Amino acid sequence: MLISPSVLNSNLGRLSEEISKVEGVADLIHLDVMDNHFVPNLSFGLPVVAGVLAHTSLPVDVHLMIDDPDRWAPAYGEAGAYSVTFHIEAAKDPVTLSKNISATGARVAAALKPGTDLDSLDGLLEHLDMILIMTVEPGFGGQAFMYDMMPKIARARELSGAHMWIEVDGGVSQNTIKDCKEAGANVFVAGSCVYSNPDPAQVVRDLKALVE
Ligand code: DX5
Ligand code: ZN
């Protein structure tokens, strides 16, 4: 069971300070790359991710909400990301893309928007280390958790077997994390519930305690 705080709703003007607040307690740090094309929001790209990689001891969990990941995603692995997630809806040749990411040494994951069926991963599962099930529409932190995604989490676990990591992202909090675990998830992204609290490390500890 791994907790991956998302910095999207943290104070991005003090990014390394915000990340250091969860170092030593979090398992990963989740960075949301958005290009204002795949999603209607713009965050940051490779230069900022590379800057974070140089300053944190946490493994970096990159979530690419961008068009044309076939072209852009492997560079995040080359830069040293621990895990690189692309959206299946945006990938042109997901098998080749997954191989290209794996070749950098990074773990590779495919993300599914709430409306995207698990069938879209047909023929790809053997090339993946993780499936990311979005439990909100991607683009913004602080949205309400979509409980209707629970069967999809369970089905992803069923289809992929015990070794696959299943990550949930969107609206994960003290109220929803246990249900995600029970459905079969083992990697939990939590953004606003961690960084809206004056003690982010304590929230991460609380989340861990709920799933362990
Ligand atoms: C949304 C991002 C999430 C976001 C989660 O598109 O992928 O990682 O930061 O934030 P919360 O936990 O507030 O829903
Ligand atoms: Zn994310």
Side-chain angles (χ1 to χ4, degrees):
M1 300 299 146
L2 304 171
I3 310 290
S4 186
S6 163
V7 297
L8 189 63
N9 280 18
S10 73
N11 181 351
L12 293 174
R14 297 182 179 276
L15 183 53
S16 58
E17 223 174 277
E18 294 284 65
I19 293 172
S20 66
K21 289 178 185 171
V22 297
E23 276 170 0
V25 277
D27 300 292
L28 307 162
I29 192 79
H30 184 86
L31 300 184
D32 290 298
V33 173
M34 304 180 182
D35 65 353
N36 204 26
H37 289 269
F38 182 73
V39 286
N41 195 9
L42 184 63
S43 58
F44 44 75
L46 185 57
V48 171
V49 173
V52 169
L53 282 161
H55 288 280
T56 184
S57 55
L58 286 171
V60 172
D61 172 30
V62 177
H63 177 194
L64 298 173
M65 285 163 275
I66 62 170
D67 280 346
D68 205 5
D70 304 69
R71 176 173 174 191
W72 301 108
Y76 290 83
E78 276 155 23
Y82 175 75
S83 174
V84 178
T85 300
F86 62 86
H87 266 268
I88 193 68
E89 304 87 355
K92 294 182 186 99
D93 179 354
V95 171
T96 303
L97 171 55
S98 298
K99 288 182 182 167
N100 289 343
I101 293 170
S102 289
T104 70
R107 294 176 62 91
V108 54
L112 279 73
K113 294 206 245 184
T116 304
D117 204 273
L118 281 165
D119 294 351
S120 62
L121 301 182
D122 282 354
L124 186 64
L125 288 178
E126 64 189 279
H127 302 284
L128 298 178
D129 300 302
M130 183 170 83
I131 301 169
L132 168 51
I133 305 290
M134 290 301 303
T135 41
V136 298
E137 283 301 335
F140 299 90
Q143 303 181 76
F145 182 82
M146 295 170 69
Y147 267 99
D148 51 342
M149 291 298 112
M150 287 304 179
K152 193 172 170 182
I153 299 169
R155 183 88 187 109
R157 174 57 71 205
E158 238 173 70
L159 283 174
S160 62
H163 72 283
M164 182 77 80
W165 287 10
I166 311 271
E167 183 174 58
V168 283
D169 183 7
V172 176
S173 70
Q174 297 90 331
N175 299 323
T176 55
I177 195 166
K178 264 187 120 161
D179 292 329
C180 294
K181 180 206 165 174
E182 273 153 30
N186 71 303
V187 186
F188 309 91
V189 178
S192 49
C193 84
V194 170
Y195 280 105
S196 67
N197 193 290
D199 190 351
Q202 189 53 47
V203 178
V204 174
R205 278 186 219 106
D206 293 345
L207 291 171
K208 283 208 98 155
L210 285 164
V211 291
E212 270 168 2

